Amino acid sequence: MVDSYDVSNEFFHVLKEICKVVLIEDILYDVYDVDALINYNIYASKMDYKKKYPNSTKLILGMDYAPVRPEYSTSVRKHSDEINTILVSTGDSDLYEIAPGIVDSLLDVIDDNVRLRVITSKNSPTRD
């Protein structure tokens, strides 16, 4: 199972000689020679995977496949219509540097009493 942007088709060809290969992917940057592809994002089914990938590649698309622990996926929580906290997460490194734009846009429209939490990593160029 591969979850990396730093791979090539040559890498997958070599790997497929010794085992089945599953790619976790979310941007459809290229078409890779893999046995299966997982994109568990909400927008995955709207992307062109079915047009671009051969029928031999099993496509596993959508939020039903998100790796969420059972206690979080089946719990029932009470909620209110009032928004107290907004979570912003753009992935490990925010490759496209969109987090600051999202935060700025939210700051323009949310109340002062709403807590804004941003998840990032040391790899993010816009971390500060």
Side-chain angles (χ1 to χ4, degrees):
M1 187 169 286
V2 179
D3 184 5
S4 174
Y5 295 114
D6 193 22
V7 291
S8 66
N9 255 324
E10 181 180 339
F11 169 81
F12 288 120
H13 292 308
V14 170
L15 198 57
K16 279 185 74 171
E17 290 179 13
I18 57 172
C19 64
K20 297 279 186 185
V21 180
V22 177
L23 173 63
I24 298 175
E25 205 274 349
D26 65 349
I27 58 176
L28 193 53
Y29 177 72
D30 200 353
V31 175
Y32 297 104
D33 183 17
V34 295
D35 297 295
L37 179 141
I38 301 170
N39 182 339
Y40 51 79
N41 289 288
I42 194 168
Y43 54 80
S45 61
K46 295 184 190 290
M47 298 175 77
D48 287 335
Y49 289 109
K50 292 178 182 176
K51 290 180 185 174
K52 294 187 176 190
Y53 272 85
N55 289 336
S56 59
T57 300
K58 181 175 176 87
L59 298 175
I60 304 165
L61 307 174
M63 291 179 55
D64 288 342
Y65 303 100
V68 177
R69 291 192 337 222
E71 59 264 35
Y72 296 115
S73 65
T74 59
S75 65
V76 176
R77 298 180 65 187
K78 293 181 181 179
H79 71 281
S80 72
D81 292 334
E82 183 179 339
I83 296 173
N84 298 313
T85 305
I86 297 174
L87 174 67
V88 176
S89 176
T90 59
D92 176 48
S93 61
D94 192 13
L95 290 175
Y96 299 105
E97 300 181 13
I98 63 172
I102 293 171
V103 169
D104 287 343
S105 295
L106 287 170
L107 289 174
D108 289 341
V109 297
I110 62 174
D111 294 333
D112 290 340
N113 60 339
V114 175
R115 179 178 291 164
L116 189 58
R117 298 207 181 250
V118 181
I119 296 177
T120 188
S121 76
K122 64 182 180 180
N123 299 325
S124 175
T126 59
R127 180 177 170 192
D128 292 339

